[in-house]
Amino acid sequence: MRRAASQTLPSNASANGIRGAMASMNRVIASRTDTGKAGSAGVGSGVSSGEAGGDRRVWLMPFESRTNQGDRNGESGFSASTWGMATGAEMELESGRVGLSYAYASTSVSGNTAITGTGSRSRIESNMVALYGNVPLGELSLTWQADVGRNGVRLSRDMRFGGLNRTASSRYHAWDAHLGANVSFTLPVNETMNLVPSLQLDYTRLESPSYVESGAGALNLTVQGKRSEALLLGTGARLNYALTPSSQISTYLGVSYDVINDRGDLVATYAGAPGQAFTTTGPAHSPWLLKAGVSYRFKLAEVTDISLRFDAEGRSGFINHSAAVKASWRF
């Protein structure tokens, strides 16, 4: 009976899939403003390095990420796979650097079946436009990013119990916005190595509209719109090491605390009982988020840089990891 009931409830897997895609795209853009030139022998870091002849750049970065959320407190988890492409252009100004970027991501989300016994699926197409930059503040460096995105969502959930064999489906568009800032300071260790501690502030908002399912008769759901927010306060440190005059490896470790820590409750009604709304409570999770990453960068030619990077973030029962390749050209 409990498994049958769980098949008729709405799920937050689509919203979580959008947030995972947002995180992946934001990391791609943020990598353009990573501070860190590993000593006089190291390769520069793009936006923040201020290297001669690098006042204008264009770049391209394909990326892929995977997300897994375990079942918690009776709420089914999910797994998601995202691939995408980001591109942008940037230039040097008197007061720093500024860039404009566009990113596209396609995400497939599958709900876990241990609790419900049946599957749920979502397909998300995300488009994001971002403005970003870097401003020197004496010995400090301020990097910032502002972006907005539109996400097309198609979802379905199966109901298989008591002789019932139905699939409820729906479509809608959700909007997201993000503002982030990072203040860092470079501490030279030796001629080929430096440490860059930083403080970060990130705010995200996801606006999901109400939507109505079809295909399941009286068990179709009308789900109310919802605003989801997160406010992350974090700290971290990047260690840059110049392997050769034209190559550099960087590692990163950080932690963030979500001040809002939204659980993602959903309010819905059944088509067969439109006047009786109910609330599906989202799972409680830790507000602490751990982050780690490693990247390798080298100059392929005088005006071309190539970077390989791997990033991961997680908290109790949740893990997101991504890989990306970046090509950057100065002109």
Side-chain angles (χ1 to χ4, degrees):
M1 179 63 70
R2 181 178 179 181
R3 173 168 287 190
S6 66
Q7 294 179 21
T8 70
L9 299 178
S11 170
N12 253 324
S14 296
N16 289 328
I18 293 174
R19 281 189 282 267
M22 287 175 60
S24 298
M25 291 187 286
N26 283 329
R27 280 197 297 267
V28 167
I29 308 301
S31 70
R32 293 301 307 147
T33 54
D34 285 345
T35 300
K37 184 177 180 181
S40 59
V43 63
S45 63
V47 170
S48 55
S49 67
E51 41 184 38
D55 57 315
R56 293 183 298 177
R57 288 173 178 252
V58 293
W59 56 271
L60 184 70
M61 182 182 291
F63 61 91
E64 183 178 9
S65 72
R66 297 186 182 275
T67 304
N68 287 283
Q69 170 71 64
D71 300 338
R72 292 178 61 83
N73 303 325
E75 172 75 11
S76 292
F78 68 95
S79 60
S81 175
T82 299
W83 68 267
M85 181 77 71
T87 185
E90 59 201 41
M91 64 182 296
E92 186 174 358
L93 303 176
E94 292 184 2
S95 57
R97 295 184 67 87
V98 65
L100 179 65
S101 174
Y102 165 76
Y104 167 82
S106 177
T107 303
S108 297
V109 184
S110 298
N112 296 348
T113 60
I115 293 177
T116 63
T118 58
S120 63
R121 298 163 300 281
S122 301
R123 169 71 70 174
I124 304 166
E125 306 289 332
S126 301
N127 294 271
M128 186 182 78
V129 176
L131 188 66
Y132 64 94
N134 172 274
V135 179
L137 300 174
E139 297 295 323
L140 302 177
S141 177
L142 170 66
T143 61
W144 56 270
Q145 179 182 333
D147 53 80
V148 62
R150 185 175 187 264
N151 308 274
V153 182
R154 294 178 294 169
L155 57 87
S156 63
R157 58 184 181 90
D158 298 328
M159 286 169 279
R160 307 284 187 267
F161 60 89
L164 193 69
N165 187 355
R166 297 178 184 176
T167 298
S169 60
S170 59
R171 293 188 179 190
Y172 63 89
H173 287 90
W175 290 87
D176 62 75
H178 163 256
L179 291 172
N182 179 306
V183 176
S184 60
F185 179 73
T186 300
L187 299 173
V189 178
N190 54 44
E191 291 186 355
T192 60
M193 185 183 300
N194 64 37
L195 181 68
V196 187
S198 62
L199 297 175
Q200 304 104 27
L201 175 66
D202 279 280
Y203 171 76
T204 59
R205 173 186 288 188
L206 175 61
E207 296 279 354
S208 299
S210 60
Y211 63 88
V212 179
E213 294 180 329
S214 61
L219 294 179
N220 285 325
L221 291 172
T222 297
V223 181
Q224 292 185 14
K226 176 177 172 55
R227 173 185 297 174
S228 302
E229 297 176 293
L231 179 61
L232 294 175
L233 306 178
T235 184
R238 184 177 301 279
L239 183 66
N240 303 305
Y241 177 69
L243 299 172
T244 69
S246 60
S247 65
Q248 174 178 300
I249 188 169
S250 299
T251 58
Y252 175 80
L253 186 64
V255 61
S256 295
Y257 181 85
D258 188 349
V259 176
I260 298 175
N261 199 27
D262 191 344
R263 292 186 59 169
D265 297 348
L266 293 174
V267 179
T269 57
Y270 292 111
Q276 301 178 16
F278 62 93
T279 300
T280 301
T281 303
H285 47 68
S286 172
W288 292 99
L289 187 67
L290 299 178
K291 304 178 181 181
V294 60
S295 64
Y296 172 69
R297 183 182 180 198
F298 61 95
K299 280 188 176 181
L300 187 63
E302 187 63 28
V303 297
T304 304
D305 295 335
I306 303 295
S307 295
L308 310 174
R309 62 182 297 123
F310 178 84
D311 296 278
E313 62 180 34
R315 52 187 166 192
S316 54
F318 170 87
I319 183 69
N320 173 276
H321 50 86
S322 61
V325 179
K326 179 188 70 181
S328 176
W329 298 272
R330 293 183 295 278
F331 64 96

